[in-house]
Amino acid sequence: MKSPPQDLLVGLNPVLEQLRRDPRVIEKLLVAHGAGGRAGEVVEQARQAGILVAREHPRRLDALAGGVPHQGVIAATRRFAYADWHDLVVAKPACLLLADQVSDPRNLGALVRSAEATGVGGVVLPRDRSVGVTPVVAKAAAGATALVPIARVVNLSRALEELKAAGYWVVGLDGDATESVFEFRFPDLCALVVGAEGRGLRQLTRSNCDHLLSIPMRGQVDSLNVSVAAAVALYERLRQAEAKGERSR
């Protein structure tokens, strides 16, 4: 089975969910001739949202879906509008989350969701060897990609240096670090960096961190999923900020 392009949402449930969460993401709805039932519901919601609806031969949808069951509907999505990196630095939110070459879209979506839930002012991704914001990411983020600024940078290490110059302290999560996130006093301006699943932070990224923190593990597994680890650290930072009466975002 060949996967469909990342800018397509295939099938009734993914399309309906996107229409419910944020229909602006959808540019065009393709519907197979003769498709009925819930496909009609999709068409009605799309038209109410002002989305162009085009009827296509079922074989056309088969080709686009790459073998994934499309149930008569495929949505073409717009390119994601990334935030400007320099505008994000100038805005100087209290906390930024940087993902170092996270390639799994569901992990990135979960990271963005946790970032928005904890008041993070922006998420930063490298352009290379990192997944961008796709419909899969948006779905995993439960709509948070439309709520928190997400910027892409050419060089993550240079971005960290720029953040330091702007007054941020760079804090990295590293399973081998000796200092716990629960012992650390998070700074007022914090740039939290997390690494790719299974690989962690790259050496150059690690060397650019002012502090490296770990999460205590008391069971037999030796690590957490990157999105879970980030959520733990972000909520600890939020807890400390609220205890001091500081702004969280």
Side-chain angles (χ1 to χ4, degrees):
M1 180 183 293
K2 180 183 176 182
S3 297
Q6 292 189 334
D7 59 351
L8 295 180
L9 288 172
V10 178
L12 289 168
N13 288 336
V15 174
L16 279 169
E17 183 173 351
Q18 188 61 60
L19 284 168
R20 179 174 61 85
R21 292 190 184 282
D22 187 5
R24 297 169 298 176
V25 171
I26 298 177
E27 184 172 27
K28 185 178 183 180
L29 181 69
L30 306 179
V31 184
H33 288 298
R38 292 181 66 205
E41 177 186 349
V42 175
V43 169
E44 181 60 28
Q45 289 193 29
R47 284 181 172 150
Q48 287 178 4
I51 297 168
L52 175 65
V53 177
R55 292 282 179 176
E56 299 280 355
H57 194 284
R59 271 185 247 161
R60 167 68 173 152
L61 271 68
D62 292 342
L64 289 172
V68 175
H70 55 72
Q71 300 162 297
V73 294
I74 293 178
T77 60
R78 301 179 188 277
R79 283 182 180 270
F80 182 76
Y82 290 96
D84 183 86
W85 158 245
H86 297 291
D87 288 347
L88 198 56
V89 176
V90 170
K92 199 172 277 191
C95 183
L96 291 170
L97 176 65
L98 296 92
D100 186 15
Q101 295 190 343
V102 172
S103 58
D104 184 276
R106 290 172 181 81
N107 276 339
L108 178 58
L111 284 169
V112 174
R113 184 175 185 174
S114 294
E116 201 285 325
T118 53
V120 169
V123 176
V124 182
L125 314 171
R127 289 184 185 273
D128 296 330
R129 299 179 184 176
S130 172
V131 65
V133 179
T134 67
V136 175
V137 172
K139 180 179 179 181
T145 51
L147 301 173
V148 60
I150 302 174
R152 300 186 92 174
V153 295
V154 175
N155 187 308
L156 189 65
S157 294
R158 189 176 302 131
L160 293 176
E161 292 171 0
E162 290 181 39
L163 287 174
K164 288 183 182 183
Y168 283 85
W169 290 84
V170 179
V171 179
L173 290 187
D174 187 333
D176 294 327
T178 56
E179 188 171 11
S180 165
V181 293
F182 303 117
E183 299 168 346
F184 179 68
R185 184 174 179 180
F186 281 86
D188 296 341
L189 289 177
C190 176
L192 181 69
V193 193
V194 297
E197 185 75 21
R199 298 194 305 272
L201 298 173
R202 288 176 291 168
Q203 181 57 43
L204 185 57
T205 304
R206 188 182 290 107
S207 66
N208 272 306
C209 292
D210 297 304
H211 299 276
L212 291 173
L213 307 177
S214 61
I215 296 172
M217 304 295 294
R218 297 293 181 258
Q220 296 186 51
V221 297
D222 60 1
S223 66
L224 295 173
N225 172 281
V226 61
S227 60
V228 174
V232 171
L234 289 172
Y235 270 105
E236 175 59 17
R237 188 208 71 85
L238 177 61
R239 184 194 67 79
Q240 292 183 21
E242 291 188 343
K244 291 188 292 184
E246 297 175 350
R247 65 190 178 105
S248 60
R249 189 181 292 273

